[in-house]
Amino acid sequence: DQQVKQNSPSLSVQEGRISILNCDYTNSMFDYFLWYKKYPAEGPTFLISISSIKDKNEDGRFTVFLNKSAKHLSLHIVPSQPGDSAVYFCAASGGANFGNEKLTFGTGTRLTIIP
Amino acid sequence: DAGITQSPRHKVTETGTPVTLRCHQTENHRYMYWYRQDPGHGLRLIHYSYGVKDTDKGEVSDGYSVSRSKTEDFLLTLESATSSQTSVYFCAITEQGSSPLHFGNGTRLTVT
């Protein structure tokens, strides 16, 4: 039972345009969400997080939006750059005070930025 | 890579043989984790450690054991490797149990 779903296995976006990666979750107890980025032959790296007390968190070109009623979050990358080509994992847990042992990952979306 | 080294980076082994993967950190972080990454499953937690000699099971712990005799080293052992354990294994560390994870570069294990 996949509690965190990334329904788009892949996404291609023109350089300079906006990339939108989506993530849905089913567990209503989840209230802390993270995005990780992974390049080939490397480990994932933390990108950005959001807790359920907010509906938006921004860090440079990266913004995460959380819609609690829809159990949906999205990562926006503006403008998209070739170095953004990677696999993006969404992850969720029962709260910022809960340990990583409770973290559930999605299956990932491969983003390709077309020059 | 936050001072995390995984070894070996690649390994091919036969069914039924024991295999040990090593994770070494230079950050003196308390928490260490072993994950496996498989297509269609994302990252799944195998075992984790919250201190020297303190370990616990994750979501997919069957067939795996771990040991942590020093802060810097966390070993993952496949007691008798099976083809279903062919995967990419990632070690991760954090200073606090709820902080974002810092991952190593992975070990690709193939069981034939």
Side-chain angles (χ1 to χ4, degrees), chain B residues 17 20 22 24 28 38 44 56 70 91 101 105 108:
Chain B
T17 59
T20 295
R22 182 185 184 226
H24 178 78
N28 201 36
D38 303 289
R44 293 181 292 174
D56 207 344
K70 299 184 290 185
C91 175
L101 297 159
N105 286 332
R108 181 173 294 276

Side-chain angles (χ1 to χ4, degrees), chain A residues 68-115:
Chain A
K68 292 182 286 294
S69 61
K71 294 192 181 68
H72 176 84
L73 64 154
S74 60
L75 175 68
H76 293 212
I77 306 173
V78 184
S80 299
Q81 299 175 354
D84 296 330
S85 294
V87 176
Y88 290 79
F89 290 99
C90 170
S93 76
N97 293 322
F98 282 76
N100 286 306
E101 70 274 11
K102 300 297 184 187
L103 198 61
T104 300
F105 283 86
T107 53
T109 296
R110 181 179 303 278
L111 175 65
T112 302
I113 304 302
I114 304 164

Side-chain angles (χ1 to χ4, degrees), chain A residues 20-35:
Chain A
I20 300 176
L21 295 95
N22 294 306
C23 179
D24 297 296
Y25 61 96
T26 58
N27 189 336
S28 58
M29 297 300 292
F30 288 152
D31 61 2
Y32 183 60
F33 306 89
L34 308 95
W35 285 93

Side-chain angles (χ1 to χ4, degrees), chain B residues 2-60:
Chain B
I4 308 169
T5 304
Q6 291 188 233
S7 57
R9 290 297 312 275
H10 302 272
K11 186 168 182 67
V12 179
T13 192
E14 292 184 351
T15 298
T17 59
V19 177
T20 295
L21 309 183
R22 182 185 184 226
C23 178
H24 178 78
Q25 59 141 331
T26 58
E27 305 297 316
N28 201 36
H29 283 350
R30 177 182 173 190
Y31 294 86
M32 298 185 76
Y33 308 81
W34 277 107
Y35 285 88
R36 59 179 289 175
Q37 184 198 355
D38 303 289
H41 289 280
L43 289 145
R44 293 181 292 174
L45 182 65
I46 305 171
H47 281 279
Y48 65 101
S49 169
Y50 45 95
V52 174
K53 297 194 190 314
D54 291 323
T55 66
D56 207 344
K57 296 179 180 180
E59 177 190 359
V60 290

Side-chain angles (χ1 to χ4, degrees), chain B residues 2 4 8 16 18 24 33 36-37 39-40 47 64 66 82 84 87 90 107:
Chain B
I4 308 169
H24 178 78
Y33 308 81
R36 59 179 289 175
Q37 184 198 355
H47 281 279
Y64 302 94
V66 289
T82 67
S84 64
S87 186
F90 288 100
T107 294

